[in-house]
Amino acid sequence: MGYVAIKGGGQAIEGAAEVLELLRTREGDAGAPLTLETIEKQLYFLHGRILSEGGLYHPKLASLAIKQSLGDTLEASFALRAYRSSKPRLLSTAPHGTENMRLIRRISASFKDIPGGQMLGPTTDYALRLLRMELIDETPEAFRERARTLLTNLPEEQVPDSFPKVLDSLRAQGLLPKPSSAAREPAFDITREPLIFPVPRSAALATMARAETGSLLAIAYSNMRGYGDVHPTVAELRVGYLPVMLAHPITGEATEIGEVLMTECEVVAMYEDDSDDGPSAPTFTLGYGACFGHNEVKAIAMAILDRALQKGRSDGPSNPSEDAEFVLLHIDGIDSMGFASHYKMPHYVTFQSDMDRLRTTQRKHQEASE
Amino acid sequence: MKKILEVKGLTQLYGKGCDLCFDATGPDKETNICPHCGSVVALHNLDFDLFKGEILGIMGESGSGKSTAVKCLYFDQAPYAGHAFFYDDDRQYDLFTLNPAQRRVLRNRRFGMVYQNPNLGLNFGISAGGNIAERLLMNQVSNYGDIRARARELLTRTEVLPERMDELPKNFSGGMQQRVQIAKALATRPPLLFLDEVTTGLDLSVQARILDLILEIQAELDTAMVVVTHDLGVIRLLAGRTLVMKYGRVIESGLTDQVLEDPQHAYTQKLVASAL
Amino acid sequence: MKQGIQFAFLDEYAKREIRRTVLKAIAIPGYQVPYSSREMPMGRGFGTGGLQLTLALVGLGDTVKVIDQGSDDSVNAVNLRKFIELTCPGVDTTTRLQEATLIQSRHRIPERPLRADQILVLQVPYPDALVIVEPSEDKRKVMHGEADYARLLVKLYEDIVKFDEITISHRYPTRINGHYIIDPSPIPRYDVPKLNDAPALMLFGAGREKKIYAVPPHTLAEPLAFDDVAFRVEDFTDEHGNRRACHLCGATDSFLDEFFDEHGDKLFQCSDSDYCTQRQEAGA
């Protein structure tokens, strides 16, 4: 086997990897490695974010990605996404509705009360963001005691297995548009087909579902603040575990093969008086956001941008958040961080070329002024 | 006299449209907004012919549809209905059936357009000379020296100081921006030129000079022109024949002298009488 | 390598798509063919486009050379070569150009002419030469389709007006086969003439932008210029009008890196490290 001998550059790269490992393990004798379980449980929101931005629902590997990246969300998502890209595609499921999600949280801002009730679940929405100093010296005993206490003597209330969708009641009242003909087309696969604009709504949603949270939020925020015209109300936000159903290879019966933790947000926006399929009575318009993991800000931002992009598609974009090219090409964390980082690579040949140009024009400028 | 442009039944409608739109709008209904569906009938059944080397005036107040007509012919908008035929020597083009590539060729090489707002006709990010170069470069001119010479020639002809050729148009006065637009429009020696309210908003003396310039160019190059304006003075000076429009329809047409000296329609009479 | 990762890392579907994309690119010289670019274990911007091409094309018996800024030892080249060695057992790697069947390069075309049995893969950050005058990809597609490059040419015009020179240094817009204008990647102007009528196939891979394009063998490649303002390569003459030479091998026909040594003296050295090494071995 003929290989090139390792010289200076190669040694530098190995050294860099070693120093990074030292950063990770420098607690030394005083420390203990993070377990994948700890990352998934105690860094719950971070973990969910990596699941969603990596675009692969693999809780164990998402934890590993976080662990090896020392908590860098862009790097961790990248590692998970790169792993995904090496896996073959085995099967596809049929499209899933989310009515039978096993919910841990479910609220609506559109109504004071909804069938099934407003279930706050685990949320920081109404928490006071005061630093909990008592957690500074939390002992392992105190930690274990917390869960034990919280789980004993739970009240006997029965929570229904599933909750109806708020939008279904709005739909029954004729306030929502009928699903368009495009809804029956197969979903666009962004991992198999390149984006060629204009793209269908399913391509936009898929791109946003694994977008970097901050990028998505910033653009959605610009729309909320006034650059756009969406005026959304959250019809329903739900967080829970969606059973994943696959047809049994022999009987063909839909069988549950597992569940994924996900967040879903449905937003209702200002009404329009015609739809894609022809003139009809005015209705509200909808925006939809969904992602792996528990990430509400991302789902809400996504729903707002979904609406904005739909508007941009039919009326022409009047601001960047309605421009599909602008939004969809700049929200992928792996693409953007890669390119930002690449500026650190050697560019001395191109720089040499730039210097040549500048020197020539300087010389001409000199000659002209003499 | 050779015909260069033939427009038949040119119609433009904004909005949903309904069966009653055309009957419910027009000068006798004193509106171009359909009371039933709210659509705007900007233009209905405009017919006219233009001959080689002739200047046709289209006169009317705002909302008359005069600018809409020209925007359709220059492919800035697609019309609701109608046909237009462009005769270019031995070729004939059915304008509204052309594909985007064909439209682009005509826009670049055979038509010129000067807008009221220089922002529409000029690229403010490049120099005055660069604007003209852009038009020439669309036509496969590949010699830098030739491009410079032609741009200088055109700008000199339209009385823009050649020293200012490399400046950005945003530093120019309104009148000079219009001159650059005219130079740019003429760069490819088009046989047909559209001028949409080109002197509106300029000082009177500047207007006068630009109008003179247009006449001189017309005499030199034998360019056919469609001049759109609300200003009687411009019509009187430039146009040999005139159409008077109101609420999207032509209400009077004929030789300019006749239309202005002996207007038949009450509206035309009002316009002529109210001219300062 | 852990079990379950196939030869050359990419799954067969991905390789098939890339190969089909390459065929289309060769059939339409200079046209940017979109493809669903896969994420690689190195960052976007670090050569994932070039790498996907290499991985889709490489096979047993191939010998691969990887260079960055002309050098086999540059960190990016080292990293990519390591990955190829790891994922492609049975494929040799080399620094010597003559031994290579596939060369992946960032920012340079090797000095020595390529052969018909060699393929050059260039790493591309910006596939579209029109991106400097039009940000919308949708609009650029129409401009390419209609060969409407007037706005790009105006940019050159404005350059000459301002500086009496075309100031584009690298990524020089080049017209392929008389129609599509490409961004030939950040190679210096010095390397642009090597694209014209070359015996080898030149492939361009943009991973982040998800495009592949090609200059097939013996294809016309003309850098944009005016009849009377010629295209010029970088100038390596010193104050006395002599063409500078590499301080290591003495070559006066290669692109030179300029740098300062520990004493603060300015030195010039071949950017193409293999070219320089072989010249030194031959006792030049």
Side-chain angles (χ1 to χ4, degrees):
Chain A
M1 188 104 321
Y3 284 158
V4 173
I6 299 186
K7 291 200 286 190
Q11 287 167 355
I13 293 178
E14 279 176 20
E18 280 173 14
V19 172
L20 206 52
E21 260 298 271
L22 180 61
L23 258 188
R24 187 177 75 82
T25 54
R26 64 194 144 132
E27 284 174 276
D29 293 337
L34 290 170
T35 68
L36 301 187
E37 195 70 12
T38 300
I39 293 173
E40 184 180 342
K41 299 275 156 45
Q42 292 186 51
L43 297 176
Y44 168 75
F45 290 106
L46 171 63
H47 185 264
R49 185 166 157 159
I50 302 311
L51 284 174
S52 128
E53 292 175 16
L56 181 69
Y57 196 86
H58 197 316
K60 213 163 104 185
L61 292 185
S63 291
L64 176 61
I66 294 170
K67 177 173 174 171
Q68 75 182 50
S69 309
L70 285 78
D72 184 330
T73 57
L74 293 167
E75 284 291 338
S77 313
F78 185 2
L80 197 58
R81 189 87 74 81
Y83 177 81
R84 180 207 189 287
S85 132
S86 71
K87 295 287 111 186
R89 173 76 57 81
L90 297 174
L91 293 161
S92 290
T93 67
H96 285 51
T98 51
E99 293 80 7
N100 59 342
M101 268 171 82
R102 185 166 66 82
L103 296 179
I104 64 173
R105 174 161 156 70
R106 183 248 194 176
I107 52 120
S108 172
S110 317
F111 297 98
K112 185 163 177 202
D113 210 351
I114 39 178
Q118 304 265 17
M119 314 291 274
L120 292 185
T123 175
T124 49
D125 286 347
Y126 307 104
L128 299 173
R129 270 68 162 195
L130 301 170
L131 289 174
R132 292 174 58 196
M133 304 302 190
E134 75 275 11
L135 290 180
I136 292 176
D137 294 312
E138 190 177 31
T139 61
E141 295 77 38
F143 180 80
R144 294 180 198 121
E145 182 58 29
R146 283 297 274 156
R148 221 178 293 137
T149 325
L150 289 166
L151 287 173
T152 50
N153 296 325
L154 284 176
E156 273 298 312
E157 269 182 60
Q158 286 284 45
V159 174
D161 281 340
S162 66
F163 294 71
K165 307 282 317 257
V166 171
L167 283 188
D168 285 344
S169 73
L170 289 178
R171 198 164 276 125
Q173 294 173 58
L175 296 172
L176 297 183
K178 305 223 174 357
S180 75
S181 45
R184 273 164 215 91
E185 283 160 25
F188 189 97
D189 188 345
I190 59 172
T191 65
R192 290 287 181 268
E193 304 288 332
L195 291 183
I196 301 174
F197 293 89
V199 295
R201 188 180 173 204
S202 60
L205 290 172
T207 307
M208 290 196 283
R210 57 178 206 175
E212 201 272 318
T213 303
S215 315
L216 204 62
L217 176 59
I219 302 177
Y221 181 50
S222 77
N223 185 292
M224 294 173 215
R225 270 195 77 247
Y227 276 91
D229 210 13
V230 179
H231 301 297
T233 309
V234 172
E236 186 167 2
L237 175 84
R238 42 172 69 191
V239 182
Y241 294 86
L242 180 72
V244 178
M245 311 298 287
L246 198 59
H248 190 279
I250 298 169
T251 67
E253 206 181 304
T255 314
E256 182 177 333
I257 54 165
E259 54 181 18
V260 294
L261 172 66
M262 59 171 283
T263 310
E264 184 196 56
C265 177
E266 287 171 312
V267 136
V268 163
M270 277 184 81
Y271 61 85
E272 261 166 21
D273 59 3
D274 46 34
S275 67
D276 294 330
D277 295 331
S280 51
T283 59
F284 283 123
T285 51
L286 295 176
Y288 185 83
C291 57
F292 286 149
H294 186 161
N295 193 337
E296 299 179 23
V297 156
K298 179 166 174 175
I300 295 170
M302 184 173 157
I304 288 172
L305 282 178
D306 173 42
R307 183 81 285 277
L309 289 177
Q310 285 181 73
K311 178 161 183 294
R313 190 128 177 258
S314 60
D315 298 348
S318 57
N319 62 72
S321 69
E322 293 176 3
D323 182 342
E325 250 192 77
F326 184 86
V327 174
L328 300 178
L329 293 180
H330 299 121
I331 51 177
D332 186 82
I334 279 76
D335 283 351
S336 55
M337 67 81 87
F339 204 50
S341 301
H342 109 288
Y343 284 106
K344 296 172 278 181
M345 282 220 288
H347 280 79
Y348 52 83
V349 165
T350 52
F351 192 62
Q352 178 76 36
S353 199
D354 290 341
M355 283 201 288
D356 169 84
R357 283 294 82 193
L358 181 58
R359 281 174 182 151
T360 307
T361 51
Q362 276 187 344
R363 188 170 39 84
K364 289 205 169 180
H365 184 83
Q366 185 112 5
E367 285 163 10
S369 52
E370 273 159 11
Chain B
M1 281 247 275
K2 267 193 80 182
K3 205 183 287 189
I4 190 173
L5 186 65
E6 188 180 322
V7 177
K8 287 211 154 356
L10 188 57
T11 302
Q12 182 60 292
L13 185 140
Y14 303 121
K16 273 198 290 243
C18 68
D19 298 330
L20 308 157
C21 278
F22 298 128
D23 294 329
T25 57
D28 45 327
K29 305 286 193 299
E30 290 291 319
T31 182
N32 55 9
I33 301 177
C34 174
H36 303 282
C37 66
S39 306
V40 175
V41 178
L43 200 56
H44 184 51
N45 278 341
L46 173 63
D47 291 340
F48 70 83
D49 292 336
L50 182 67
F51 293 87
K52 208 164 181 300
E54 158 179 53
I55 301 184
L56 175 74
I58 305 185
M59 184 173 73
E61 298 177 309
S62 45
S64 59
K66 58 193 194 301
S67 285
T68 306
V70 148
K71 284 187 187 137
C72 290
L73 292 168
Y74 193 59
F75 306 124
D76 278 345
Q77 293 179 3
Y80 180 82
H83 298 276
F85 300 96
F86 172 58
Y87 301 96
D88 191 15
D89 291 332
D90 44 355
R91 291 163 117 152
Q92 181 185 325
Y93 299 90
D94 186 354
L95 294 183
F96 302 132
T97 63
L98 299 177
N99 65 42
Q102 292 167 319
R103 276 184 254 148
R104 210 170 58 81
V105 170
L106 285 185
R107 259 172 83 108
N108 289 341
R109 298 193 198 170
R110 309 313 284 151
F111 296 170
M113 173 72 158
V114 185
Y115 295 92
Q116 176 181 3
N117 183 349
N119 276 299
L120 295 174
L122 295 179
N123 184 333
F124 274 63
I126 56 184
S127 65
N131 268 279
I132 295 172
E134 188 178 353
R135 214 119 200 273
L136 295 170
L137 287 164
M138 286 184 206
N139 285 284
Q140 324 298 340
V141 180
S142 56
N143 186 298
Y144 174 78
D146 287 349
I147 292 170
R148 287 292 275 175
R150 177 100 179 106
R152 201 174 284 121
E153 176 199 332
L154 285 161
L155 289 170
T156 310
R157 185 72 197 79
T158 55
E159 290 165 31
V160 177
L161 295 168
E163 305 89 79
R164 303 200 70 185
M165 175 175 166
D166 299 328
E167 282 180 46
L168 295 175
K170 69 174 168 62
N171 297 330
F172 291 6
S173 66
M176 197 167 290
Q177 286 175 349
Q178 288 306 67
R179 283 195 249 268
V180 178
Q181 260 208 94
I182 294 170
K184 182 175 180 175
L186 294 172
T188 54
R189 295 190 178 89
L192 176 55
L193 197 59
F194 299 104
L195 298 131
D196 189 358
E197 301 270 25
V198 298
T199 51
T200 304
L202 298 174
D203 292 339
L204 287 175
S205 59
V206 174
Q207 281 196 35
R209 196 62 210 107
I210 289 181
L211 292 173
D212 279 345
L213 177 64
I214 291 171
L215 279 174
E216 286 164 31
I217 286 166
Q218 203 268 335
E220 262 172 55
L221 302 174
D222 203 31
T223 317
M225 299 185 191
V226 176
V227 173
V228 166
T229 182
H230 64 274
D231 188 333
L232 252 77
V234 172
I235 291 286
R236 196 188 294 274
L237 190 63
L238 293 184
R241 284 189 300 126
T242 297
L243 307 175
V244 182
M245 292 189 68
K246 190 177 190 220
Y247 290 125
R249 278 82 168 169
V250 176
I251 54 159
E252 187 152 1
S253 66
L255 296 176
T256 303
D257 291 339
Q258 284 176 342
V259 170
L260 294 185
E261 299 308 320
D262 187 23
Q264 299 297 302
H265 196 281
Y267 174 69
T268 321
Q269 291 163 356
K270 200 173 81 170
L271 276 184
V272 171
S274 53
L276 291 167
Chain C
M1 200 69 204
K2 285 218 183 76
Q3 76 210 63
I5 298 218
Q6 46 271 73
F7 178 83
F9 187 77
L10 296 171
D11 66 78
E12 292 308 314
Y13 188 102
K15 284 184 202 161
R16 184 169 54 180
E17 188 192 350
I18 292 168
R19 290 171 193 154
R20 283 180 174 168
T21 307
V22 168
L23 289 174
K24 192 163 178 180
I26 294 171
I28 317 172
Y31 172 71
Q32 302 162 54
V33 189
Y35 75 112
S36 53
S37 165
R38 303 294 197 268
E39 287 88 0
M40 297 273 102
M42 57 286 299
R44 292 289 196 210
F46 286 70
T48 59
L51 185 61
Q52 284 176 82
L53 276 170
T54 300
L55 295 174
L57 296 173
V58 84
L60 298 177
D62 267 313
T63 303
V64 177
K65 174 176 160 81
V66 184
I67 48 174
D68 175 15
Q69 313 293 294
S71 163
D72 305 87
D73 198 37
S74 185
V75 280
N76 182 242
V78 169
N79 212 19
L80 289 168
R81 188 168 53 239
K82 214 165 68 159
F83 183 74
I84 293 167
E85 288 166 359
L86 204 57
T87 56
C88 307
V91 171
D92 289 340
T93 58
T94 184
T95 59
R96 301 179 79 82
L97 182 65
Q98 307 91 305
E99 292 170 12
T101 56
L102 206 151
I103 301 110
Q104 180 171 335
S105 172
R106 176 169 174 266
H107 296 189
R108 288 255 27 233
I109 297 181
E111 302 293 352
R112 186 176 270 108
L114 299 168
R115 302 188 308 261
D117 64 310
Q118 292 176 313
I119 298 178
L120 178 67
V121 170
L122 286 165
Q123 297 174 201
V124 178
Y126 303 98
D128 203 329
L130 286 173
V131 78
I132 44 167
V133 295
E134 177 52 67
S136 158
E137 182 170 327
D138 212 24
K139 295 199 181 107
R140 290 197 304 263
K141 272 184 72 174
V142 175
M143 290 163 81
H144 279 294
E146 298 182 355
D148 176 12
Y149 297 111
R151 283 162 68 189
L152 189 57
L153 288 163
V154 172
K155 187 113 188 30
L156 296 188
Y157 164 91
E158 296 276 277
D159 251 6
I160 301 169
V161 164
K162 250 193 292 221
F163 302 110
D164 203 29
E165 277 282 311
I166 297 174
T167 58
I168 302 176
S169 55
H170 48 278
R171 293 178 55 206
Y172 198 93
T174 305
R175 194 185 293 265
I176 306 301
N177 205 32
H179 186 108
Y180 291 105
I181 291 184
I182 63 166
D183 180 322
S185 86
I187 54 176
R189 293 191 316 285
Y190 197 82
D191 287 345
V192 172
K194 296 177 183 140
L195 293 170
N196 187 47
D197 197 24
L201 168 65
M202 318 260 197
L203 294 175
F204 298 78
R208 186 182 47 87
E209 292 287 340
K210 307 171 180 52
K211 304 282 194 310
I212 288 173
Y213 48 108
V215 178
H218 300 294
T219 302
L220 195 58
E222 304 161 289
L224 277 198
F226 293 96
D227 296 342
D228 52 337
V229 182
F231 165 78
R232 283 223 283 256
V233 300
E234 288 82 356
D235 182 9
F236 289 108
T237 49
D238 62 16
E239 325 74 75
H240 308 293
N242 301 318
R243 209 292 190 178
R244 295 185 200 278
C246 168
H247 80 107
L248 289 175
C249 74
T252 53
D253 60 350
S254 72
F255 187 92
L256 300 173
D257 291 334
E258 176 184 325
F259 60 96
F260 295 93
D261 67 4
E262 318 88 72
H263 310 295
D265 295 326
K266 197 191 282 196
L267 290 177
F268 291 86
Q269 185 173 311
C270 288
S271 146
D272 186 336
S273 56
D274 172 51
Y275 184 71
C276 194
T277 307
Q278 290 196 38
R279 276 184 58 92
Q280 291 173 59
E281 284 168 1

